[in-house]
Amino acid sequence: MPEPSRYLGRLSGKVAIVTGAGADGEEIGIGRAIALLMAREGAKLVCADLEAARAQATAARIAADGGEAIACAGDVAQAEDCAALVTAAVGRFGRLDILVNNVGISNPVSLEAVTPETWNRILATNLTSAMLMSKYAVPEMARTGGGAIVNISSLAGMRAMGALAYGPSKAAMAQLAREIGVLHGRQGIRANTVAPGHVMTPHAMGKIPADMREARRKVGPLGIEGDAWDVAQAVLFLASDEARFINGVELAVDGGVTGIGPLAGHAFVMGD
């Protein structure tokens, strides 16, 4: 979708942490799109990334738009770094209302080839990080009346796609959100999941050959690709007060791909 140009202040007065918010140059990946959109809707941002320069680049774009953001570097697979991010948010802005767990890595391997080290690294980065960030964020959210957590999962967590460790880690992120929503709902905390699929990001562009990209476009019922802004809009809704009665859901942002069967997919490809 085109970059949004109309903003309604839907997050005015909110403070948000977005992990994996960094990007190189002018790239718009999912984390950066979420951070930019939230800032433009009035939130104050903590842009977190493993690499300081990438986080700083996103924070600088927010500042150029007239928003307020700080950049923090850290490894969210480490408890002390997660605690530090929450401390930085509260220390700078006085509160924490929104957490977006967006960090993720993938390394597709077969069951025969996977090593315990690879398995553990992917689960630590994708799943444990979301648990740790939520662990430290929830008390601060509860202190000021509640908040919203949004986990960024994947279509690979809803359908088997040959991503051995990545798929299970992303599926578990949705269950983690449901558990948090049940355990902390009475504290005013909602937790939901967005599962992107068939979304073309700068990272995907570097990995998907042109012919595969075209086949992937064709198999979707809408016949178009999604992008980072499509994902960011879904996250914005779930993080906003408009979604105050939505808790524990997994929202696929995939153009309807999860709703079609193999024969329908084949017909789409052959017909267009």
Side-chain angles (χ1 to χ4, degrees):
M1 66 179 294
E3 183 170 339
S5 58
R6 183 169 175 262
Y7 307 101
L8 304 174
R10 294 157 73 185
L11 300 182
S12 181
K14 306 285 190 182
V15 176
I17 296 174
V18 179
T19 68
D24 295 322
E26 298 300 310
E27 290 181 352
I28 301 292
I30 289 173
R32 175 171 282 178
I34 293 168
L36 291 175
L37 185 58
M38 284 187 164
R40 292 170 185 174
E41 288 287 352
K44 298 175 182 178
L45 264 293
V46 175
C47 302
D49 201 272
L50 184 62
E51 298 180 25
R54 289 163 56 90
Q56 289 164 357
T58 300
R61 288 194 59 155
I62 291 172
D65 286 342
E68 191 171 354
I70 60 172
C72 294
D75 180 358
V76 290
Q78 304 299 320
E80 58 271 23
D81 287 11
C82 295
L85 286 173
V86 173
T87 298
V90 176
R92 175 63 179 269
F93 301 121
R95 60 186 295 133
L96 177 61
D97 304 283
I98 299 165
L99 168 64
V100 181
N101 290 310
N102 173 62
V103 170
I105 59 171
S106 179
N107 185 10
V109 291
S110 68
L111 189 59
E112 295 85 354
V114 69
T115 64
E117 292 76 19
T118 297
W119 175 271
N120 290 336
R121 182 171 63 87
I122 291 174
L123 263 67
T125 303
N126 298 357
L127 177 61
T128 304
S129 67
M131 179 276 292
L132 289 171
M133 285 300 308
S134 300
K135 172 182 173 64
Y136 295 109
V138 161
E140 288 298 334
M141 292 178 175
R143 181 177 62 84
T144 54
I149 296 171
V150 183
N151 288 344
I152 307 301
S153 178
S154 169
L155 189 62
M158 302 178 74
R159 299 287 188 271
M161 301 176 68
L164 181 65
Y166 180 76
S169 73
K170 290 297 187 178
M173 288 184 77
Q175 183 62 21
L176 174 64
R178 286 188 284 267
E179 297 288 358
I180 293 171
V182 167
L183 289 169
H184 298 282
R186 293 301 175 94
Q187 294 173 287
I189 294 166
R190 299 180 296 104
N192 295 291
T193 304
V194 170
H198 285 214
V199 170
M200 186 51 57
T201 63
H203 178 71
M205 287 178 187
K207 289 190 169 185
I208 300 177
D211 57 342
M212 185 181 297
R213 178 177 175 180
E214 179 64 6
R216 194 174 79 154
R217 177 194 66 78
K218 286 182 177 181
V219 81
L222 295 179
I224 59 175
E225 294 176 331
D227 62 21
W229 294 114
D230 293 302
V231 180
Q233 292 281 16
V235 174
L236 171 64
F237 168 66
L238 290 174
S240 75
D241 292 339
E242 295 168 15
R244 74 180 191 94
F245 201 55
I246 299 175
N247 189 26
V249 306
E250 184 174 15
L251 174 61
V253 180
D254 67 350
V257 171
T258 53
I260 63 174
L263 290 177
H266 177 75
F268 281 128
V269 171
M270 298 305 292
D272 185 13

